mmCIF file of all heavy atoms in Angstrom:
data_model
loop_
_atom_site.group_PDB
_atom_site.id
_atom_site.type_symbol
_atom_site.label_atom_id
_atom_site.label_comp_id
_atom_site.label_asym_id
_atom_site.label_seq_id
_atom_site.Cartn_x
_atom_site.Cartn_y
_atom_site.Cartn_z
ATOM 1 N N TYR A 34 112.419 118.279 235.467
ATOM 2 C CA TYR A 34 111.477 117.155 235.296
ATOM 3 C C TYR A 34 111.456 116.353 236.598
ATOM 4 O O TYR A 34 112.403 115.660 236.911
ATOM 5 C CB TYR A 34 111.969 116.339 234.123
ATOM 6 C CG TYR A 34 111.093 115.190 233.669
ATOM 7 C CD1 TYR A 34 111.444 114.469 232.523
ATOM 8 C CD2 TYR A 34 109.936 114.797 234.330
ATOM 9 C CE1 TYR A 34 110.670 113.414 232.059
ATOM 10 C CE2 TYR A 34 109.163 113.746 233.892
ATOM 11 C CZ TYR A 34 109.527 113.054 232.744
ATOM 12 O OH TYR A 34 108.771 112.003 232.282
ATOM 13 N N VAL A 36 110.338 113.352 238.918
ATOM 14 C CA VAL A 36 109.818 111.987 238.901
ATOM 15 C C VAL A 36 109.471 111.627 240.338
ATOM 16 O O VAL A 36 110.290 111.808 241.243
ATOM 17 C CB VAL A 36 110.878 111.010 238.329
ATOM 18 C CG1 VAL A 36 110.369 109.571 238.370
ATOM 19 C CG2 VAL A 36 111.247 111.412 236.892
ATOM 20 N N GLN A 64 106.401 113.230 236.378
ATOM 21 C CA GLN A 64 106.180 111.828 236.037
ATOM 22 C C GLN A 64 105.842 111.069 237.316
ATOM 23 O O GLN A 64 106.570 111.159 238.299
ATOM 24 C CB GLN A 64 107.442 111.211 235.422
ATOM 25 C CG GLN A 64 107.322 109.723 235.144
ATOM 26 C CD GLN A 64 108.654 109.085 234.809
ATOM 27 O OE1 GLN A 64 108.985 108.038 235.346
ATOM 28 N NE2 GLN A 64 109.430 109.694 233.948
ATOM 29 N N ARG A 66 105.977 107.783 239.128
ATOM 30 C CA ARG A 66 106.700 106.519 239.015
ATOM 31 C C ARG A 66 106.526 105.776 240.327
ATOM 32 O O ARG A 66 107.118 106.137 241.323
ATOM 33 C CB ARG A 66 108.176 106.791 238.751
ATOM 34 C CG ARG A 66 109.035 105.543 238.681
ATOM 35 C CD ARG A 66 110.463 105.922 238.327
ATOM 36 N NE ARG A 66 111.310 104.742 238.195
ATOM 37 C CZ ARG A 66 112.012 104.210 239.185
ATOM 38 N NH1 ARG A 66 111.938 104.737 240.403
ATOM 39 N NH2 ARG A 66 112.772 103.159 238.979
ATOM 40 N N ASN A 96 104.858 106.573 234.430
ATOM 41 C CA ASN A 96 105.950 105.642 234.184
ATOM 42 C C ASN A 96 105.429 104.212 234.048
ATOM 43 O O ASN A 96 104.649 103.762 234.889
ATOM 44 C CB ASN A 96 106.957 105.693 235.336
ATOM 45 C CG ASN A 96 108.156 104.796 235.075
ATOM 46 O OD1 ASN A 96 108.747 104.858 234.007
ATOM 47 N ND2 ASN A 96 108.464 103.935 236.029
ATOM 48 N N HIS A 111 106.290 107.114 230.092
ATOM 49 C CA HIS A 111 107.736 106.864 230.010
ATOM 50 C C HIS A 111 107.977 105.381 230.207
ATOM 51 O O HIS A 111 107.447 104.792 231.159
ATOM 52 C CB HIS A 111 108.501 107.645 231.095
ATOM 53 C CG HIS A 111 109.973 107.483 230.935
ATOM 54 N ND1 HIS A 111 110.736 108.365 230.226
ATOM 55 C CD2 HIS A 111 110.809 106.483 231.330
ATOM 56 C CE1 HIS A 111 112.000 107.945 230.209
ATOM 57 N NE2 HIS A 111 112.057 106.804 230.872
ATOM 58 N N GLY A 113 110.965 102.033 230.062
ATOM 59 C CA GLY A 113 112.374 101.664 230.051
ATOM 60 C C GLY A 113 112.626 100.589 229.013
ATOM 61 O O GLY A 113 111.714 100.158 228.317
ATOM 62 N N GLY A 133 108.332 108.870 226.281
ATOM 63 C CA GLY A 133 109.733 108.934 226.717
ATOM 64 C C GLY A 133 110.317 107.559 226.882
ATOM 65 O O GLY A 133 109.600 106.605 227.166
ATOM 66 N N TRP A 134 111.637 107.474 226.702
ATOM 67 C CA TRP A 134 112.328 106.172 226.751
ATOM 68 C C TRP A 134 113.590 106.326 227.587
ATOM 69 O O TRP A 134 114.279 107.364 227.476
ATOM 70 C CB TRP A 134 112.687 105.774 225.311
ATOM 71 C CG TRP A 134 112.861 104.307 225.070
ATOM 72 C CD1 TRP A 134 112.270 103.264 225.734
ATOM 73 C CD2 TRP A 134 113.688 103.722 224.066
ATOM 74 N NE1 TRP A 134 112.658 102.069 225.186
ATOM 75 C CE2 TRP A 134 113.523 102.307 224.172
ATOM 76 C CE3 TRP A 134 114.524 104.210 223.060
ATOM 77 C CZ2 TRP A 134 114.184 101.416 223.321
ATOM 78 C CZ3 TRP A 134 115.169 103.329 222.212
ATOM 79 C CH2 TRP A 134 115.004 101.933 222.355
ATOM 80 N N SER A 135 113.928 105.315 228.401
ATOM 81 C CA SER A 135 115.201 105.341 229.150
ATOM 82 C C SER A 135 116.300 104.861 228.224
ATOM 83 O O SER A 135 116.194 103.777 227.654
ATOM 84 C CB SER A 135 115.130 104.381 230.346
ATOM 85 O OG SER A 135 114.068 104.738 231.172
ATOM 86 N N VAL A 136 117.346 105.682 228.090
ATOM 87 C CA VAL A 136 118.445 105.339 227.179
ATOM 88 C C VAL A 136 119.775 105.432 227.917
ATOM 89 O O VAL A 136 120.029 106.393 228.635
ATOM 90 C CB VAL A 136 118.435 106.275 225.936
ATOM 91 C CG1 VAL A 136 119.752 106.204 225.186
ATOM 92 C CG2 VAL A 136 117.268 105.921 225.028
ATOM 93 N N TYR A 155 111.277 112.037 223.783
ATOM 94 C CA TYR A 155 112.437 112.441 224.601
ATOM 95 C C TYR A 155 113.031 111.194 225.227
ATOM 96 O O TYR A 155 112.401 110.130 225.291
ATOM 97 C CB TYR A 155 112.000 113.422 225.710
ATOM 98 C CG TYR A 155 111.305 112.739 226.875
ATOM 99 C CD1 TYR A 155 112.043 112.187 227.930
ATOM 100 C CD2 TYR A 155 109.922 112.613 226.922
ATOM 101 C CE1 TYR A 155 111.409 111.529 228.985
ATOM 102 C CE2 TYR A 155 109.282 111.947 227.972
ATOM 103 C CZ TYR A 155 110.042 111.407 228.986
ATOM 104 O OH TYR A 155 109.415 110.739 230.010
ATOM 105 N N ILE A 156 114.288 111.313 225.674
ATOM 106 C CA ILE A 156 114.947 110.193 226.362
ATOM 107 C C ILE A 156 115.484 110.634 227.718
ATOM 108 O O ILE A 156 115.895 111.786 227.886
ATOM 109 C CB ILE A 156 116.098 109.604 225.517
ATOM 110 C CG1 ILE A 156 117.132 110.657 225.153
ATOM 111 C CG2 ILE A 156 115.560 108.896 224.290
ATOM 112 C CD1 ILE A 156 118.343 110.100 224.390
ATOM 113 N N GLY A 157 115.428 109.718 228.657
ATOM 114 C CA GLY A 157 116.080 109.909 229.954
ATOM 115 C C GLY A 157 117.471 109.329 229.825
ATOM 116 O O GLY A 157 117.615 108.136 229.572
ATOM 117 N N VAL A 158 118.492 110.195 229.899
ATOM 118 C CA VAL A 158 119.877 109.746 229.721
ATOM 119 C C VAL A 158 120.476 109.463 231.093
ATOM 120 O O VAL A 158 120.628 110.362 231.916
ATOM 121 C CB VAL A 158 120.705 110.834 229.001
ATOM 122 C CG1 VAL A 158 122.112 110.341 228.729
ATOM 123 C CG2 VAL A 158 120.025 111.238 227.691
ATOM 124 N N LYS A 167 116.864 104.156 242.410
ATOM 125 C CA LYS A 167 116.449 103.106 241.480
ATOM 126 C C LYS A 167 116.913 101.771 242.056
ATOM 127 O O LYS A 167 118.104 101.520 242.195
ATOM 128 C CB LYS A 167 117.078 103.335 240.102
ATOM 129 C CG LYS A 167 116.533 102.391 239.024
ATOM 130 C CD LYS A 167 116.947 102.857 237.631
ATOM 131 C CE LYS A 167 116.436 101.916 236.567
ATOM 132 N NZ LYS A 167 115.347 102.468 235.746
ATOM 133 N N LYS A 172 122.145 99.475 235.266
ATOM 134 C CA LYS A 172 123.202 100.216 234.553
ATOM 135 C C LYS A 172 124.195 100.782 235.564
ATOM 136 O O LYS A 172 123.794 101.280 236.603
ATOM 137 C CB LYS A 172 122.578 101.380 233.774
ATOM 138 C CG LYS A 172 121.495 100.960 232.786
ATOM 139 C CD LYS A 172 120.980 102.149 231.991
ATOM 140 C CE LYS A 172 119.762 102.788 232.638
ATOM 141 N NZ LYS A 172 119.083 103.756 231.733
ATOM 142 N N VAL A 198 116.827 114.457 228.761
ATOM 143 C CA VAL A 198 116.997 114.872 230.155
ATOM 144 C C VAL A 198 117.999 113.921 230.807
ATOM 145 O O VAL A 198 117.985 112.715 230.536
ATOM 146 C CB VAL A 198 115.676 114.838 230.965
ATOM 147 C CG1 VAL A 198 114.723 115.929 230.521
ATOM 148 C CG2 VAL A 198 115.000 113.476 230.883
ATOM 149 N N GLY A 199 118.905 114.504 231.613
ATOM 150 C CA GLY A 199 119.828 113.656 232.365
ATOM 151 C C GLY A 199 119.116 113.160 233.613
ATOM 152 O O GLY A 199 118.231 113.836 234.133
ATOM 153 N N ILE A 200 119.502 111.987 234.084
ATOM 154 C CA ILE A 200 118.893 111.441 235.313
ATOM 155 C C ILE A 200 119.852 110.517 236.041
ATOM 156 O O ILE A 200 120.740 109.924 235.430
ATOM 157 C CB ILE A 200 117.581 110.688 235.000
ATOM 158 C CG1 ILE A 200 116.848 110.310 236.291
ATOM 159 C CG2 ILE A 200 117.841 109.449 234.125
ATOM 160 C CD1 ILE A 200 115.410 109.879 236.107
ATOM 161 N N SER A 228 116.382 115.576 235.253
ATOM 162 C CA SER A 228 115.269 114.867 235.872
ATOM 163 C C SER A 228 115.751 114.272 237.186
ATOM 164 O O SER A 228 116.873 113.759 237.248
ATOM 165 C CB SER A 228 114.814 113.755 234.932
ATOM 166 O OG SER A 228 113.822 112.996 235.561
ATOM 167 N N LEU A 229 114.939 114.388 238.214
ATOM 168 C CA LEU A 229 115.393 113.869 239.502
ATOM 169 C C LEU A 229 114.226 113.420 240.367
ATOM 170 O O LEU A 229 113.071 113.758 240.104
ATOM 171 C CB LEU A 229 116.242 114.906 240.235
ATOM 172 C CG LEU A 229 115.834 116.371 240.151
ATOM 173 C CD1 LEU A 229 114.664 116.679 241.036
ATOM 174 C CD2 LEU A 229 117.000 117.244 240.517
HETATM 175 C C1 IFP B 604 113.806 105.175 234.420
HETATM 176 C C2 IFP B 604 113.627 106.443 234.012
HETATM 177 C C3 IFP B 604 114.648 107.137 233.285
HETATM 178 N N1 IFP B 604 114.449 108.414 232.883
HETATM 179 C C4 IFP B 604 113.297 109.025 233.173
HETATM 180 C C5 IFP B 604 113.156 110.437 232.695
HETATM 181 F F1 IFP B 604 114.159 111.154 233.209
HETATM 182 F F2 IFP B 604 112.027 110.952 233.092
HETATM 183 F F3 IFP B 604 113.262 110.488 231.375
HETATM 184 N N2 IFP B 604 112.309 108.456 233.845
HETATM 185 C C6 IFP B 604 112.398 107.172 234.292
HETATM 186 N N3 IFP B 604 111.485 106.627 234.918
#
Side-chain angles (χ1 to χ4, degrees):
Y34 185 175
V36 177
Q64 175 192 133
R66 177 176 182 269
N96 183 49
H111 185 93
W134 204 28
S135 302
V136 164
Y155 77 86
I156 57 176
V158 184
K167 188 167 179 109
K172 303 183 267 192
V198 290
I200 189 166
S228 175
L229 38 77

